[in-house]
Amino acid sequence: TRVMATSTSMDSLSNRLQGIKGVLLDKDGTLVDYYKTWTTLNNMAAIEVAQGDEDLAQILLKAGGWCHRERKFIPGSALVAGNCNDLAKLWHPLLPPSMQAECTVQSIEEAVDDVFYEGTSEFTYLGLLIVKFASAVVLWIDIESPCG
């Protein structure tokens, strides 16, 4: 279950941010390894959408921009630069007709979002600790807020 931000929590966060003296962006994965983090999450999302079918999950990952041979993501692909809605729109037509009939683009988006949300919660917690106790913030944004 997600906690929605309230005006009180946003005011509290705003007060904490006032003491921040610097921001370090980690866009290249120096501090948080993109491949170790997002490869696993992308695999989990594809398996979830494929309802456990490993072969179908590989088809979804390839369509999303995973190059299995190189073991890398294609820059600018949906898995790197897209969001959950982009993946859902890309993946839905690739599902077998029986799966397409039982799930919508929105349900796929929600499933992917849930996987990404759960998988990034430790980073969110770390980020909140940094905001609470430090005068500098590290941002590890490799793509949009997981499914923003």
Side-chain angles (χ1 to χ4, degrees):
T1 308
R2 297 184 190 181
V3 177
M4 299 301 291
T6 64
S7 61
T8 304
S9 67
M10 292 306 292
D11 289 342
S12 175
L13 179 61
S14 177
N15 290 338
R16 289 183 187 149
L17 291 175
Q18 288 180 3
I20 301 299
K21 305 257 188 300
V23 176
L24 173 64
L25 296 174
D26 181 31
K27 292 190 72 161
D28 64 356
T30 302
L31 299 173
V32 177
D33 186 316
Y34 179 86
Y35 281 93
K36 286 184 182 175
T37 305
W38 286 99
T39 300
T40 300
L41 293 174
N42 288 330
N43 281 323
M44 290 170 57
I47 289 289
E48 178 72 22
V49 171
Q51 299 177 6
D53 181 332
E54 299 267 343
D55 293 332
L56 178 56
Q58 288 304 310
I59 291 169
L60 300 177
L61 290 167
K62 182 178 181 181
W66 173 249
C67 178
H68 186 73
R69 183 174 43 82
E70 297 288 329
R71 307 214 40 86
K72 291 186 177 184
F73 296 102
I74 298 168
S77 65
L79 287 169
V80 173
N83 59 34
C84 292
N85 184 261
D86 296 330
L87 287 173
K89 288 178 188 174
L90 178 68
W91 287 354
H92 186 266
L94 301 175
L95 299 177
S98 61
M99 284 184 172
Q100 285 183 28
E102 68 184 53
C103 63
T104 63
V105 169
Q106 182 177 348
S107 68
I108 293 172
E109 179 180 2
E110 290 169 1
V112 173
D113 186 46
D114 287 345
V115 169
F116 289 172
Y117 180 81
E118 291 299 319
T120 59
S121 62
E122 64 192 60
F123 297 123
T124 302
Y125 180 71
L126 175 62
L128 292 174
L129 287 178
I130 290 170
V131 168
K132 184 170 184 171
F133 296 109
S135 61
V137 174
V138 177
L139 299 177
W140 48 85
I141 302 169
D142 290 304
I143 62 171
E144 289 183 52
S145 152
C147 289

